[in-house]
């Protein structure tokens, strides 16, 4: 049997420090939300939103767009320096309507940015470029759009989404 050290831990075990005096309740809420998204636990209800999420998983969209489409993965050379998420201000800047959303997915870009000299420069030099998913059908685009709208309406799945805790 192992000898027990402080608080019943084996000697040399790393003990989790206490953060009671360092964290506010809102900080703890943020940590719980981050854990849920990174572990894949925050998912939309059954329906088009869930189908869209499942399509994004199958096509490995989250490999670039971050956990659950939250964004933030580094993209050197891009305008912001990271791959945008599927909700929030960056998404609204890059996707102004459903037509642009469909073009991003099917063509890997949109005419509005390709025709802008400054945007074209950043698109050309970014390391990670959006691939074309031309083979996706209209029903798939509908599901992906439903998932993106669900993310926007729930602040990335945290506002009103079922949580396992």
């Amino acid at each position: 049997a192992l000898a027990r050290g402080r608080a019943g831990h084996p000697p040399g075990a790393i003990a989790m420090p206490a953060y009671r005096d360092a964290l506010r309740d809102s900080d703890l809420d943020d940590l719980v939300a981050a854990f849920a998204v990174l572990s894949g636990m925050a998912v939309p209800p059954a329906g088009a939103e869930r189908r869209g999420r499942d399509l994004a998983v199958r096509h490995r969209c989250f490999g670039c767009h971050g956990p659950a489409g939250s964004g933030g993965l580094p993209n050197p050379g891009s305008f912001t320096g990271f791959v945008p998420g599927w909700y929030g201000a960056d998404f609204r800047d890059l996707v102004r309507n459903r037509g642009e959303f469909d073009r991003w997915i099917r063509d890997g870009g949109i005419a509005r940015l390709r025709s802008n000299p400054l945007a074209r420069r950043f698109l050309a030099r970014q390391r990670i470029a959006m691939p074309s998913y031309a083979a996706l059908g209209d029903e798939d685009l509908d599901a992906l759009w439903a998932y993106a709208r669900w993310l926007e309406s729930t602040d990335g799945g945290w506002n009103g989404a079922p949580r396992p805790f």
Side-chain angles (χ1 to χ4, degrees), residues 74-162:
N75 189 8
S78 69
F79 183 70
T80 59
F82 58 85
V83 177
W86 291 0
Y87 62 95
D90 293 322
F91 182 86
R92 289 188 297 274
D93 286 343
L94 294 171
V95 180
R96 300 235 172 115
N97 56 49
R98 171 64 193 268
E100 284 191 353
F101 180 83
D102 290 359
R103 297 281 49 100
W104 271 112
I105 294 173
R106 284 209 170 126
D107 301 339
I110 57 172
R112 176 173 55 87
L113 296 182
R114 287 181 178 142
S115 66
N116 180 299
L118 183 60
R120 196 170 47 243
R121 174 185 156 98
F122 282 102
L123 289 171
R125 70 182 206 159
Q126 66 186 352
R127 291 257 176 92
I128 301 171
M130 176 71 184
S132 168
Y133 291 92
L136 288 178
D138 291 342
E139 288 183 15
D140 291 338
L141 291 176
D142 290 344
L144 290 167
W145 178 252
Y147 178 63
R149 298 300 76 219
W150 177 81
L151 287 170
E152 183 71 29
S153 71
T154 62
D155 191 26
W158 309 131
N159 186 6

